[in-house]
Amino acid sequence: MPKNKPQPAVRAFLVENHSVGADALVYATDKKAAKEEYLKQCPAAINDRFTAYIVK
C-alpha cells in the first residue's frame, strides 16, 4: 500500500507591493506560491516589485 505523503501547510502571507505601496493578504504553501496567487488576484502588478512575508 502506498503511504500518503503529508500535504504542505497553507499559511497566510503578506505580499507588499513596493511599486504602489499596497499590501495584500494571500494564502499559500510557500513564498513562490504566494507571489503566483498575488499575480492571479492582481494581474496588473506583473511588472511591479513585491515581496512576500509569512504572517505570524
Side-chain angles (χ1 to χ4, degrees), residues 15-34:
V15 180
E16 180 182 0
N17 187 327
H18 302 288
S19 299
V20 295
D23 297 333
L25 183 66
V26 297
Y27 293 93
T29 55
D30 59 18
K31 283 187 175 187
K32 183 177 179 184

Side-chain angles (χ1 to χ4, degrees), residues 4-55:
N4 292 338
K5 292 183 179 178
Q7 296 295 322
V10 175
R11 301 186 207 171
F13 286 87
L14 181 70
V15 180
E16 180 182 0
N17 187 327
H18 302 288
S19 299
V20 295
D23 297 333
L25 183 66
V26 297
Y27 293 93
T29 55
D30 59 18
K31 283 187 175 187
K32 183 177 179 184
K35 290 179 180 182
E36 291 172 359
E37 183 64 28
Y38 177 68
L39 287 175
K40 283 182 191 175
Q41 294 178 15
C42 305
I46 190 73
N47 294 321
D48 293 349
R49 287 186 43 228
F50 52 88
T51 307
Y53 301 100
I54 297 173
V55 176

